[in-house]
């Protein structure tokens, strides 16, 4: 299919895309986002061009200042001559027009810059799942040549946490008012952070929150020192295989000597809240304070992002994360194809109808019916047939 001849329209689109035409980028994203015919051919053609962009996720509670910080980071990257693609996974985001006028005007200033491309992604209706859609659009932006791809998502639910795991570096933005105490914050949000930003530091409580986060990190480093490596604390949805772990102290994997690792982590813990690369191959998330609305602390956030990028390369984590992403890409595509082939088939629906009576009368359970359906779906699922096996 995607390896076969491509339709002429897709060929033209790819030629325009390669020539760097913004209209082709927008069209490619639309095709991919809506899974229109040829979307898989587009993604397959672009696959070999990905790997250039640094993918940065910004997540955190609603209103924490993620869009404001995204805008500031975008300005800063542009000032360095870098191009930036933004994916805003949030229906209420200023990017989608759901916010205050001031935010919109600020965003438009970057939106007019040809070195910036902003795309919002509705949380509902994302085909094949939100994290899959985010990965796919990030791939398109990466292939187009953007130096940085920033993904903004509200860190409230599991699907948003999954989205946050599609990036190389995950920034968790917290604000003093985001909870009385760090204990109230979702554990998942804490686990995925590579960098913490305590935003709205112009408000009371920012220093206390910063201390609390640092204390929590220190406790985690201690806990990690006595926990065998290979544990993927961040695993939420199905993680494929053993690799691809994200988060504190997960860089070693089973290959690394557990005792050496425990020793290094313990030493790190005793030194106090170590920031960044601890020199023993582990990353301790820096905690940066900022007032994004005034641009304060943005340079520190950039510095933390650069340090994390350097750590990812030096430790081999970048390759690990990208391999994890490839595993999940394959799983995404398999999920999508299975669903489309099985449930998109009229025969399946009719067959299922014919089994309802048996379940109603108690002769069969949904599990029996599901097993029977799977047993009959071989030809359909592999694309060899157009109907369930008899
Ligand atoms: N006082 C103060 N206000 C800020 C700061 N950063 C952002 N804000 C304001 O906080 C409000 C929310 O900012 P956004 O950037 O839209 O926050 P967000 O996290 O993207 O919000 P959602 O996408 O709706 O979850 C806006 O009115 C910002 O101007 C800050 O450092 N201090
Ligand atoms: Mg926002």
């Amino acid at each position: 299919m995607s390896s076969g001849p491509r339709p002429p329209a897709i060929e033209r689109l790819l030629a325009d895309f390669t020539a760097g035409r913004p209209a082709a980028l927008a069209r490619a994203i639309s095709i991919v986002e809506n899974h229109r015919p040829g979307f898989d051919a587009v993604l397959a053609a672009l696959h070999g061009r990905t790997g250039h962009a640094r993918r940065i996720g910004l997540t955190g509670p609603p209103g924490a200042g993620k869009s404001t910080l995204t805008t500031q980071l975008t300005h800063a990257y542009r000032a360095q001559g870098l191009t930036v693609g933004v994916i805003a996974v949030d229906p209420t985001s200023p990017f989608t027009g759901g916010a205050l006028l001031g935010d919109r005007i600020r965003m438009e200033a970057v939106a007019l810059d040809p070195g910036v491309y902003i795309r919002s992604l509705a949380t509902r209706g994302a085909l094949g799942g939100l994290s899959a859609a985010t990965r796919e659009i990030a791939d398109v932006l990466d292939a187009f040549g953007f130096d940085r791809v920033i993904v903004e998502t509200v860190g409230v639910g599991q699907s948003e946490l999954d989205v946050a795991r599609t990036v190389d570096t995950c920034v968790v933005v917290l604000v003093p008012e985001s909870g009385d105490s760090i204990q109230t914050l979702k554990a998942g949000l804490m686990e995925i952070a590579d960098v913490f930003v305590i935003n709205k530091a112009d408000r009371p409580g920012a220093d206390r929150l910063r201390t609390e986060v640092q204390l929590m990190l220190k406790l985690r480093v201690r806990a990690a020192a006595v926990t065998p490596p290979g544990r993927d604390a961040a695993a939420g949805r199905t993680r494929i295989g053993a690799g691809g772990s994200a988060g504190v102290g997960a860089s070693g994997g089973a290959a690394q000597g557990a005792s050496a690792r425990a020793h290094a982590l313990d030493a790190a813990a005793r030194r106090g809240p170590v920031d960044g690369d601890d020199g023993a191959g582990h990353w301790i998330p820096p905690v940066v304070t900022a007032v994004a609305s005034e641009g304060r602390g943005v340079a520190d956030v950039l510095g933390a992002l650069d340090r994390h990028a350097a750590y990812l390369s030096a430790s081999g984590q970048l390759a690990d994360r990208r391999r994890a992403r490839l595993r999940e890409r394959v799983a995404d595509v398999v999920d999508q194809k299975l669903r489309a082939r099985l449930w998109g088939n009229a025969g399946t629906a009719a067959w299922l109808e014919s089994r309802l009576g048996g379940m109603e009368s108690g002769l069969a359970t949904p599990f029996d019916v599901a097993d029977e359906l799977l047993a009959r779906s071989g030809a359909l699922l592999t694309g060899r047939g157009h109907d369930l096996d008899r």
Side-chain angles (χ1 to χ4, degrees):
M1 45 176 341
S2 43
S3 53
R6 288 189 283 258
I10 296 290
E11 283 297 350
R12 273 197 305 278
L13 172 65
L14 287 171
D16 286 347
F17 188 95
T18 308
R21 304 218 163 91
L25 171 65
R27 227 170 87 69
I29 291 179
S30 289
I31 289 173
V32 166
E33 184 180 351
N34 301 302
H35 281 198
R36 281 208 281 274
F39 86 93
D40 47 355
V42 170
L43 285 172
L46 299 185
H47 175 75
R49 306 186 206 173
T50 60
H52 166 76
R54 269 197 219 163
R55 301 183 189 199
I56 298 158
L58 264 86
T59 191
K66 301 176 296 295
S67 298
T68 311
L69 191 57
T70 299
T71 308
Q72 295 281 2
L73 290 173
T74 302
H75 278 305
Y77 282 134
R78 290 301 292 135
Q80 294 176 15
L82 299 168
T83 56
V84 185
V86 176
I87 306 172
V89 190
D90 178 4
T92 63
S93 155
F95 302 118
T96 56
L100 304 166
L101 188 61
D103 284 329
R104 275 191 67 70
I105 290 166
R106 269 208 310 280
M107 278 319 300
E108 273 157 17
V110 286
L112 290 174
D113 176 347
V116 177
Y117 186 86
I118 298 169
R119 187 72 169 208
S120 62
L121 189 58
T123 342
R124 63 204 131 58
L127 286 147
L130 197 59
S131 54
T134 308
R135 266 192 285 270
E136 287 167 352
I137 294 174
D139 281 350
V140 176
L141 291 170
D142 188 351
F144 196 73
F146 285 102
D147 301 304
R148 300 287 179 270
V149 173
I150 302 179
V151 178
E152 178 195 332
T153 175
V154 184
V156 288
Q158 185 58 48
S159 63
E160 287 84 358
L161 292 178
D162 287 338
V163 169
R165 286 192 200 102
T166 66
V167 298
D168 300 321
T169 297
C170 182
V171 180
V172 169
V173 184
L174 300 173
V175 280
E177 57 264 44
S178 58
D180 286 344
S181 146
I182 208 72
Q183 314 300 341
T184 62
L185 290 164
K186 293 180 83 77
L189 202 57
M190 308 310 281
E191 297 289 349
I192 57 170
D194 299 305
V195 173
F196 285 97
V197 174
I198 310 293
N199 192 38
K200 306 200 184 179
D202 54 329
R203 298 202 174 154
D207 282 340
R208 210 188 92 213
L209 179 59
R210 181 168 193 257
T211 310
E212 277 185 82
V213 173
Q214 282 174 332
L215 181 65
M216 181 212 66
L217 290 170
K218 195 173 160 180
L219 291 174
R220 275 235 311 257
V221 167
R222 277 190 196 282
V226 295
T227 307
R231 174 196 63 130
D232 187 356
R237 71 164 235 186
T238 344
R239 279 241 166 215
I240 314 298
S245 38
V248 180
S251 69
Q256 193 173 344
S259 66
R261 176 192 151 86
H263 180 75
L265 285 170
D266 202 42
R270 266 183 269 113
R271 280 202 302 274
V274 181
D275 214 37
D277 193 339
D278 71 349
H282 312 106
W283 176 260
I284 318 281
V287 186
V288 178
T289 46
V291 183
S293 51
E294 295 168 16
R296 273 156 58 193
V298 174
D300 295 335
V301 178
L302 280 174
L305 290 173
D306 284 344
R307 281 190 293 142
H308 190 247
Y311 160 78
L312 285 177
S313 301
S315 65
Q317 275 278 295
L318 185 64
D320 283 354
R321 287 185 183 201
R322 290 183 172 180
R323 271 194 295 269
R325 215 148 60 207
L326 287 175
R327 283 186 203 100
E328 296 193 4
R329 281 295 295 132
V330 173
D332 289 341
V333 176
V334 170
D335 284 352
Q336 290 164 6
K337 288 198 174 194
L338 290 182
R339 283 184 159 276
R341 287 179 183 175
L342 195 59
W343 303 119
N345 180 277
T348 307
W351 181 89
L352 185 54
E353 285 302 307
S354 77
R355 292 298 187 273
L356 294 180
M359 288 189 282
E360 276 175 328
S361 65
L363 285 174
T365 70
F367 300 93
D368 300 329
V369 175
D371 282 339
E372 195 189 344
L373 178 58
L374 287 173
R376 284 168 177 261
S377 57
L380 197 57
L381 293 185
T382 52
R384 277 183 285 113
H386 299 287
D387 230 327
L388 290 176
D389 303 339
R390 307 245 132 233

